[in-house]
Amino acid sequence: MGYQERRVALIAKRAAPHLEPGEQIQTGFIAQTGSWITARVWTFVATDRAILIVGKKGVQRLPRDLRFGEPTGMYHEIVLDRTYKVHRQYYSEITAADEALRDMQARGNSPESEQR
């Protein structure tokens, strides 16, 4: 199993306990908060119904209509309840999450209607 496959498997494993029946993972990536000394790691998972932010103490479920924006630089910042920093190695996943949302909306399938 290569590096990319291990990353996908890790994200799926972290998300699995928090998925609703029938919910499908679209993509995911790792982010961090804090500095080098106090850094915490978070797993962002885009599904067909929500954005999950998985940490050590549980999961935060956000609406699927969240867009992450065009990533640039060494770290892309996502400002929500705190500032999450995503390393450029995950930029393709950030872009894939936004593209999946655009595709769902273009088909007329809002994330809310997917929850039925």
Side-chain angles (χ1 to χ4, degrees), residues 4 7-8 11 27-29 68 89-98:
Q4 184 70 23
R7 280 187 357 187
V8 169
I11 289 166
T27 190
F29 54 89
F68 297 111
Q89 69 180 330
Y90 292 104
Y91 282 8
S92 62
E93 286 86 354
I94 291 172
T95 301
D98 283 355

Side-chain angles (χ1 to χ4, degrees), residues 15-87:
H18 309 290
L19 296 175
E20 296 175 347
E23 189 171 17
Q24 299 294 312
I25 295 174
Q26 294 172 327
T27 190
F29 54 89
I30 305 298
Q32 73 177 40
T33 57
S35 66
W36 289 102
I37 297 171
T38 61
R40 292 188 60 199
V41 175
W42 306 86
T43 303
F44 277 67
V45 182
T47 75
D48 58 337
R49 301 180 190 170
I51 298 293
L52 307 178
I53 305 174
V54 183
K56 279 187 173 183
K57 296 184 181 180
V59 65
Q60 182 179 9
R61 184 175 277 271
L62 301 175
R64 182 57 184 97
D65 61 358
L66 177 70
R67 291 190 191 276
F68 297 111
E70 182 68 32
T72 59
M74 180 68 79
Y75 287 93
H76 177 65
E77 291 188 353
I78 299 169
V79 180
L80 298 169
D81 57 328
R82 58 186 57 121
T83 301
Y84 298 89
K85 294 180 264 182
V86 183
H87 190 271

